[in-house]
Amino acid sequence: MFIDTLIIGNGFAGRTVASTLQGESLIVERGETFNIFERRQRFLYMDKTNRHDALIRRSYESRHAFNVPEQMPKDCASEYILVDGGCSNHWGGLSFRLSEGVFANQGGDFPWPFNYQAIQPYYSRAESLLRISADPKDPEGRTSRAAIKGVEKWHQALGPYFPDAYIGAQAHNLSADTSDGQGQCLGAGDCELCPMDAKTRSLHVRANTRVLNGVMVDRLRFEEGKAVEAICITEDGPLVIGFNRVIIAAHGVESLKILWKSNLPSATPDHLLGHHYQDHAVAELACQLPGSAIPFLQVSTAAQVVIPELSGEVDGIEFTTLALMTPPNESAVAAALDVGQINAWDLEGAIKDMSSVLSLYVLLEIPPEWDISLSYSDGKVSMDTAGYHKNKVRYNGVIDAIYRKMDALGVKPLRNAEQKHYMNAFGTHHLVGMLSMGDGPRAVVDANFKLKGTSNVRIAGSSLFPRCGSRNPTVTVVATSLMLAEKLNAEANESLTTSVD
């Protein structure tokens, strides 16, 4: 089999490139096709005594023997799945752009090869493709399909303390009855296996190309600096696919494995493959907003509130604080309970104060300088997390800064409710940065998305981020994939013009 452009992976990166790319292309996807509603039924019949989120991922297990994800170490809480559409099946739909500050830092070893202004139009196109619903107060000038309903109640409740707070944008699938509508999010949880299929998944992106499912690319074969064949594994035996160019858009760990197994050109900096992994670390906090009544669950979608007043950067670590829109957990309620009020028989006042308790979820950047790294030996992926554990105590300074911000705003911190998850483990299923792009000395991929030392291998997806800060990567994956497709189209048109001349 021979194809002009081979795309490896049918997730957001691969499908977005395919949706825009001109010319003949083929997507190969190791995962089989599936029905999300059948997967939900599988989940509903599972024994729920185990971890809930682990069961969700188990419900996506592939039937192919070769589709087994690598086991991450215990201090890395991130997991991933290997079915059609990949990890984008179980994202919650929260749609962040990376901050301007992440793109602005052009010094050091990990600069993005372009600034925020250069990627901004691609963000707008990505948000249109993902069918974003947004808060009218969203400061990033989003291209939204619809407004989130019910936001005024949250603005009113939080405004006296957090006037810049806004509900984070959500990506919704188109509804069945109209191409201009959106999937109906009922806020019932289990976003990954939504009974309404409300959140946009990669499989909802229209890709004008053929997809071969059940085909796992094991490695590429190079002739000098050019990749010429993909050596694949299928249930029916080996398959070899020839191509003119290839786009590796698999999951970050799986993209790495393909390259590790390939006979890479000597000019490729293979000693940098797998370095500078950047997931996110997490802390849970809580606070009270005296006099406010939090309107839990009173919006048209399951989302989180972004609180700019409690976000920022400390000690080179970017952090984003989100307010959860669901009632606080038991530890937050216990921390807020005023026993003195109860002893004074002011039970009504004590209960009323419970309505002002807000749970917070803090996303903490893992800077690339900490160099969490992956390596491959004897058919197994290993992870070196020493850099994380050496530096994680620095997050305590971030939490202290958040508490100081609360005090300055008249917000009451509930310190007894804090959960510093980062002290034990990290990970929010954002496996980012192991094939860093740019012009810096630690880059593996150049500014044109080309794997260094090769003439026809391009990389797509979050693995090429040189720095991701404290924001979820999906919208940036789509935006950079649109940028890659545009670059490839321009190259093809230039080549055609040159040949005609």
Side-chain angles (χ1 to χ4, degrees), residues 384-396:
D384 181 353
T385 61
Y388 177 83
H389 294 293
K390 177 182 176 181
N391 288 283
K392 65 186 179 184
V393 67
R394 293 165 58 183
Y395 290 136
N396 290 336

Side-chain angles (χ1 to χ4, degrees), residues 123-405:
Y123 270 139
S124 294
R125 288 171 56 189
E127 289 156 356
S128 179
L129 194 64
L130 291 172
R131 306 165 188 128
I132 295 293
S133 290
D135 185 334
K137 280 186 64 176
D138 192 313
E140 294 181 320
R142 294 182 181 278
T143 301
S144 61
R145 183 66 65 93
I148 297 174
K149 298 177 181 178
V151 296
E152 297 82 4
K153 296 178 181 179
W154 281 88
H155 295 164
Q156 182 178 3
L158 272 57
Y161 300 95
F162 308 126
D164 294 333
Y166 61 95
I167 296 176
Q170 294 289 311
H172 286 171
N173 182 29
L174 292 182
S175 60
D177 59 335
T178 168
S179 61
D180 294 324
Q182 292 181 299
Q184 181 62 45
C185 174
L186 301 180
D190 303 336
C191 297
E192 300 95 328
L193 293 164
C194 174
M196 306 298 293
D197 199 16
K199 301 297 173 65
T200 301
R201 294 179 293 118
S202 60
L203 299 178
H204 300 140
V205 175
R206 294 178 181 175
N208 302 315
T209 190
R210 188 161 59 111
V211 179
L212 284 185
N213 290 94
V215 177
M216 185 190 85
V217 176
D218 183 66
R219 64 190 187 279
L220 302 178
R221 187 176 70 83
F222 284 83
E223 292 180 356
E224 297 182 345
K226 184 178 181 180
V228 294
E229 290 179 334
I231 313 302
C232 308
I233 297 172
T234 75
E235 289 285 316
D236 299 323
L239 173 67
V240 177
I241 303 175
F243 49 78
N244 286 323
R245 63 185 178 188
V246 59
I247 300 168
I248 303 178
H251 177 272
V253 176
E254 300 304 317
S255 292
L256 272 172
K257 285 169 64 177
I258 292 170
L259 295 175
W260 275 323
K261 293 180 181 181
S262 302
N263 62 321
L264 292 172
S266 58
T268 299
D270 56 359
H271 64 288
L272 295 176
L273 296 178
H275 284 265
H276 317 303
Y277 169 102
Q278 302 160 65
D279 204 326
H280 294 106
V282 172
E284 290 186 69
L285 308 178
C287 64
Q288 277 185 289
L289 308 182
S292 291
I294 310 299
F296 297 116
L297 306 176
Q298 296 186 46
V299 289
S300 62
T301 182
Q304 295 86 37
V305 180
V306 184
I307 306 183
E309 290 88 348
L310 300 182
S311 305
E313 186 169 321
V314 170
D315 192 20
I317 300 166
E318 185 182 86
F319 60 98
T320 297
T321 299
L322 306 173
L324 304 184
M325 303 179 76
T326 50
N329 58 33
E330 291 181 0
S331 62
V333 172
L337 186 62
D338 189 334
V339 178
Q341 274 184 301
I342 295 176
N343 289 338
W345 295 100
D346 185 12
L347 186 60
E348 183 178 346
I351 293 173
K352 184 178 180 180
D353 286 347
M354 292 295 99
S355 68
S356 67
V357 178
L358 194 63
S359 293
L360 304 175
Y361 191 81
V362 185
L363 284 172
L364 299 155
E365 175 184 14
I366 298 176
E369 290 84 358
W370 295 7
D371 195 17
I372 300 173
S373 61
L374 287 83
S375 58
Y376 186 75
S377 178
D378 299 324
K380 182 180 179 181
V381 173
S382 300
M383 178 180 282
D384 181 353
T385 61
Y388 177 83
H389 294 293
K390 177 182 176 181
N391 288 283
K392 65 186 179 184
V393 67
R394 293 165 58 183
Y395 290 136
N396 290 336
V398 176
I399 303 305
D400 289 342
I402 292 174
Y403 284 142
R404 289 195 299 271
K405 289 172 181 282

Side-chain angles (χ1 to χ4, degrees), residues 24 40 42 89 247 265 301 441 484:
E24 180 193 31
R40 181 169 178 82
R42 180 191 298 187
N89 285 297
I247 300 168
T301 182
L484 169 57

Side-chain angles (χ1 to χ4, degrees), residues 442-483:
R442 306 295 293 177
V444 177
V445 177
D446 70 18
N448 291 314
F449 299 84
K450 187 183 295 181
L451 180 67
K452 290 186 175 182
T454 73
S455 62
N456 66 335
V457 179
R458 308 290 180 130
I459 307 296
S462 62
S463 62
L464 56 75
F465 292 12
R467 184 188 176 196
C468 68
S470 59
R471 302 291 184 85
N472 299 27
T474 303
V475 178
T476 309
V477 167
V478 177
T480 52
S481 297
L482 290 169
M483 184 183 289

Side-chain angles (χ1 to χ4, degrees), residues 21-32:
L21 192 64
Q22 300 170 1
E24 180 193 31
S25 63
L26 171 71
I27 296 175
V28 290
E29 165 60 55
R30 64 192 296 168
E32 69 273 20

